[in-house]
Amino acid sequence: MPSNNGCIKFHLNIEDQNIIFTDYFKKFINGKFHKVYLTELVQSACPYCHSNNLKHNGHYTSNVRFIIADASKPITIRLRKQRVLCNECLKRSMVQSSLVNKYCHISNASKRKVLTENRSMTDISKTI
Ligand SMILES: [Zn+2]
């Protein structure tokens, strides 16, 4: 679904070329509907010798909470990271998750923003 992939990435401000959105659904978790996006993190070259001659060797799945300003509509991104075995240098590697750090950074920024807004709202209610 290349068009969906591009559309979701545009919506979530994700620019990484190695992330491919494959599916999405709603799931009821802890009393809230989460939007769950299924993604695949692909590795196109060996990080050691930069060869493209890779053999796929399974996946590692992790769930990333993508916190947006509207906390009533949480987003979970299920990231399937490809594990590969390089046919040239025979080293194993897993696609690196700089994006997860990027998500965490965005999430933390969102949390700080919400906290700041809550505090200022309390201040406002005290002054009235
Ligand atoms: Zn290699």
Side-chain angles (χ1 to χ4, degrees):
M1 294 185 288
S3 58
N4 268 351
N5 182 44
C7 182
I8 296 167
K9 285 168 99 166
F10 180 79
H11 179 64
L12 298 177
N13 296 314
I14 292 168
E15 287 168 9
D16 197 297
Q17 297 295 317
N18 295 326
I19 278 215
I20 296 166
F21 282 81
T22 55
D23 203 1
Y24 57 91
F25 54 89
K26 278 190 177 178
K27 197 178 178 190
F28 198 68
I29 308 167
N30 296 331
K32 278 180 193 169
F33 274 108
H34 285 235
K35 286 182 186 174
V36 181
Y37 291 97
L38 300 185
T39 67
E40 182 125 356
L41 197 52
V42 295
Q43 179 147 318
S44 52
C46 172
Y48 303 103
C49 69
H50 305 290
S51 163
N52 295 316
N53 187 4
L54 304 174
K55 190 174 141 191
H56 287 180
N57 190 34
H59 286 95
Y60 175 83
T61 303
S62 61
N63 289 307
V64 180
R65 289 289 299 276
F66 194 96
I67 295 172
I68 53 168
D70 186 350
S72 67
K73 297 187 181 74
I75 292 176
T76 298
I77 296 178
R78 191 166 296 168
L79 213 52
R80 287 180 91 225
K81 299 174 192 173
Q82 282 184 354
R83 285 183 214 260
V84 294
L85 174 67
C86 178
N87 286 322
E88 299 294 329
C89 69
L90 300 177
K91 282 182 178 161
R92 287 169 198 278
S93 60
M94 187 165 70
V95 60
Q96 283 312 301
S97 53
S98 62
L99 262 147
V100 175
N101 294 331
K102 205 168 148 191
Y103 288 140
C104 288
H105 179 71
I106 292 167
S107 303
N108 289 338
S110 305
K111 274 186 224 163
R112 271 199 299 277
K113 185 171 172 275
V114 172
L115 285 174
T116 313
E117 279 168 8
N118 282 349
R119 199 183 305 134
S120 56
M121 279 171 80
T122 314
D123 290 344
I124 291 163
S125 61
K126 272 179 196 163
T127 53
I128 292 167

